[in-house]
Amino acid sequence: MTVFRPATLADLTPLRELVESAFRGDSSRGGWTHEADLLDGPRTDDATLAAIIADPGQTMLLAEGKSGLTGCVLVADKGDGLSSLGMLSVAPGLQAAGLGRWLIERAEALAARTYGASRMEMTVVGVRAELIAWYERRGYRRTGETRPFPAVHRMRPGVTPADLEFAVLERDLRATDAG
């Protein structure tokens, strides 16, 4: 049975390890959503996660099974009825089992209930066509806006800043069908 709950400071180490395992390094290659071919180095750190957990305008929602943390998603209030979804992470061995979908559904409900959001946005590395298509099947649509990728992350050899430009996706949370 999976339990969904907000993260606390006691979750910092397993939360960071989960995010790293889903996005970076060789362990992330066990899933299909990794960035290991694009980026080197850590995806996040304890200080960043602690600041997120302490911020009342953000909620890091965790999925926890009998073996520990299995997934997470960050929901942030952007104001004017907009929330953002980020850091969606599922343990690599559990990807493609529906947990990501459940996390998105709970994140959207949390954004509407807690922050009064009627829209949810996210940014996805633009060259990740398969991942963008997955989000589009969840009801997200490209807005046409792009944003630069943060320069704090180390690119793998052969990867250019243009490869890492973010595509902005958005979903109307008032819609009844996620696609």
Side-chain angles (χ1 to χ4, degrees), residues 11-21 44-46 49:
D11 297 308
L12 281 179
T13 298
L15 175 57
R16 179 182 34 76
E17 290 171 352
L18 170 69
V19 172
E20 296 302 325
S21 75
T44 192
D45 56 45
D46 288 351
L49 294 172

Side-chain angles (χ1 to χ4, degrees), residues 108 118-120 138-140 169-173 175 177-178:
E108 291 171 346
S118 58
R119 297 173 295 127
M120 182 78 90
R138 310 280 85 70
Y140 286 83
L169 284 71
E170 187 174 288
R171 182 177 186 282
D172 182 345
L173 297 181
D177 180 19

Side-chain angles (χ1 to χ4, degrees), residues 147-168:
R147 296 181 188 157
F149 194 84
V152 297
H153 297 278
R154 292 190 324 253
M155 292 177 280
R156 304 261 318 174
V159 177
T160 69
D163 293 329
L164 297 180
E165 185 173 70
F166 281 126
V168 179

Side-chain angles (χ1 to χ4, degrees), residues 18-173:
L18 170 69
V19 172
E20 296 302 325
S21 75
F23 284 96
R24 305 282 169 83
D26 288 336
S27 66
S28 69
R29 294 178 194 280
W32 67 276
T33 63
H34 67 83
E35 301 169 339
D37 296 332
L38 300 171
L39 299 160
D40 280 327
R43 171 65 170 78
T44 192
D45 56 45
D46 288 351
T48 300
L49 294 172
I52 289 168
I53 292 167
D55 183 348
Q58 299 186 80
T59 302
M60 180 64 79
L61 184 63
L62 304 179
E64 191 169 35
K66 59 184 172 185
S67 62
L69 294 185
T70 55
C72 69
V73 64
L74 173 60
V75 180
D77 181 22
K78 298 297 185 180
D80 295 326
L82 177 67
S83 282
S84 68
L85 183 150
M87 219 178 292
L88 177 62
S89 306
V90 174
L94 299 175
Q95 291 180 14
L99 181 56
R101 184 178 311 193
W102 292 343
L103 281 162
I104 289 174
E105 289 172 3
R106 281 160 180 80
E108 291 171 346
L110 185 148
R113 182 181 65 250
T114 304
Y115 303 124
S118 58
R119 297 173 295 127
M120 182 78 90
E121 77 167 15
M122 69 175 70
T123 57
V124 181
V125 176
V127 296
R128 304 290 315 282
E130 184 180 7
L131 186 57
I132 290 171
W134 186 84
Y135 285 122
E136 288 174 334
R137 290 191 299 274
R138 310 280 85 70
Y140 286 83
R141 299 291 173 249
R142 290 177 188 244
T143 66
E145 179 185 356
T146 59
R147 296 181 188 157
F149 194 84
V152 297
H153 297 278
R154 292 190 324 253
M155 292 177 280
R156 304 261 318 174
V159 177
T160 69
D163 293 329
L164 297 180
E165 185 173 70
F166 281 126
V168 179
L169 284 71
E170 187 174 288
R171 182 177 186 282
D172 182 345
L173 297 181

